[in-house]
Amino acid sequence: MGGSRNSREDAVLVCGLGRFGAATANALARLGHEVLAVDRDPQLVQEWAGRLTHVVEADTTSTEALEQLGCSEFGIAVVSIGTSVESSVLTAVNLVDLGVKQIWAKALTPTHGKILSRIGVHHVVYPEKDAGTRVAHLVTGKLLDYIEFDDGFAIVKMRAPKETEGFTLAESQIRKKYGVTVVGVKSPGEDFTYAVAGTRVGSHDVLIVSGHSELIEKFAARP
């Protein structure tokens, strides 16, 4: 992991190799990012040593340990500790003090998340809550994928309602009727295309739709 500070600006430090941390580190590595994963559990470190390039056994609640690992040189850090609020907060405080530019942290509760925000964490995530919300929207089978943002705005992948089949977007007037916007259309065997007024929807097409989550739900409920 040698190199200058600039060489690590795009590298990611992952503190904690529980399910969330390990999945995050593994996904980042597959995307081509340099990742340093740190955990104080020797069994987890041993388990992931063969899958990730850089895995170190260390206590991230110790400022000295983080300094020795050169963690201040990382542009991004993820605090994924899910077993102890105290360890999560202490690790986050250390990273803030070290001047890491982007810190993402997993919160176990709203109170935990509030503390993380107060001490300077830039992005607080609630994996269990977010996953539960997403699954709740998908179990009916109307939506194929669902991403919701903080203000209630969402982007979804969904099957085309029957009333849109055979019509262009201008003809079906989806935005006027339902207050949502069709961003793109994916036809079977065809490349994804960005939607325009003249885009015609087929019976087996999949739509990418954006708008307020409640309006999207109403649109997706159409037969």
Side-chain angles (χ1 to χ4, degrees):
M1 291 287 292
S4 66
R5 178 182 180 88
N6 289 335
S7 68
R8 292 189 181 180
E9 284 296 311
D10 294 327
V12 184
L13 169 69
V14 178
C15 300
L17 278 171
R19 283 179 296 180
F20 176 71
T24 301
N26 197 32
L28 286 166
R30 287 202 312 268
L31 291 170
H33 294 278
E34 181 184 6
V35 178
L36 171 61
V38 184
D39 199 291
R40 61 184 175 188
D41 184 335
Q43 290 185 336
L44 285 175
V45 170
Q46 183 177 6
E47 177 185 345
W48 284 96
R51 307 189 210 180
L52 299 170
T53 307
H54 309 292
V55 185
V56 176
E57 181 184 340
D59 182 1
T60 57
T61 66
S62 165
T63 304
E64 292 77 12
L66 294 178
E67 288 177 339
Q68 289 176 4
L69 291 172
C71 294
S72 61
E73 300 176 6
F74 284 77
I76 306 169
V78 179
V79 181
S80 52
I81 298 169
T83 55
S84 166
V85 171
E86 181 181 1
S87 296
S88 167
V89 171
L90 286 173
T91 297
V93 167
N94 290 338
L95 294 172
V96 171
D97 290 344
L98 288 172
V100 177
K101 291 181 179 179
Q102 278 196 65
I103 303 172
W104 295 73
K106 169 185 175 179
L108 304 177
T109 65
T111 301
H112 182 198
K114 186 179 292 186
I115 294 171
L116 290 170
S117 295
R118 291 278 177 86
I119 63 177
V121 169
H122 308 98
H123 308 278
V124 178
V125 296
Y126 299 85
E128 286 82 5
K129 177 186 175 184
D130 294 343
T133 300
R134 181 172 177 271
V135 170
H137 286 280
L138 299 179
V139 291
T140 61
K142 298 289 187 180
L143 300 179
L144 303 174
D145 206 350
Y146 180 92
I147 302 174
E148 184 172 346
F149 301 89
D150 291 340
D151 57 359
F153 181 87
I155 297 178
V156 306
K157 180 167 72 172
M158 59 175 286
R159 296 181 179 87
K162 290 188 179 300
E163 67 186 75
T164 66
E165 294 175 7
F167 296 97
T168 65
L169 295 177
E171 292 168 341
S172 56
Q173 297 185 313
I174 294 172
R175 183 170 179 79
K176 181 178 179 180
K177 291 179 181 178
Y178 302 103
V180 299
T181 301
V182 177
V183 178
V185 177
K186 177 68 170 67
S187 301
E190 302 290 337
D191 292 335
F192 170 88
T193 58
Y194 288 101
V196 296
T199 300
R200 192 172 300 277
V201 177
S203 58
H204 298 291
D205 286 353
V206 170
L207 310 181
I208 306 299
V209 183
S210 65
H212 193 279
S213 57
E214 290 184 3
L215 298 176
I216 286 178
E217 287 289 351
K218 291 179 180 177
F219 178 56
R222 302 295 299 170

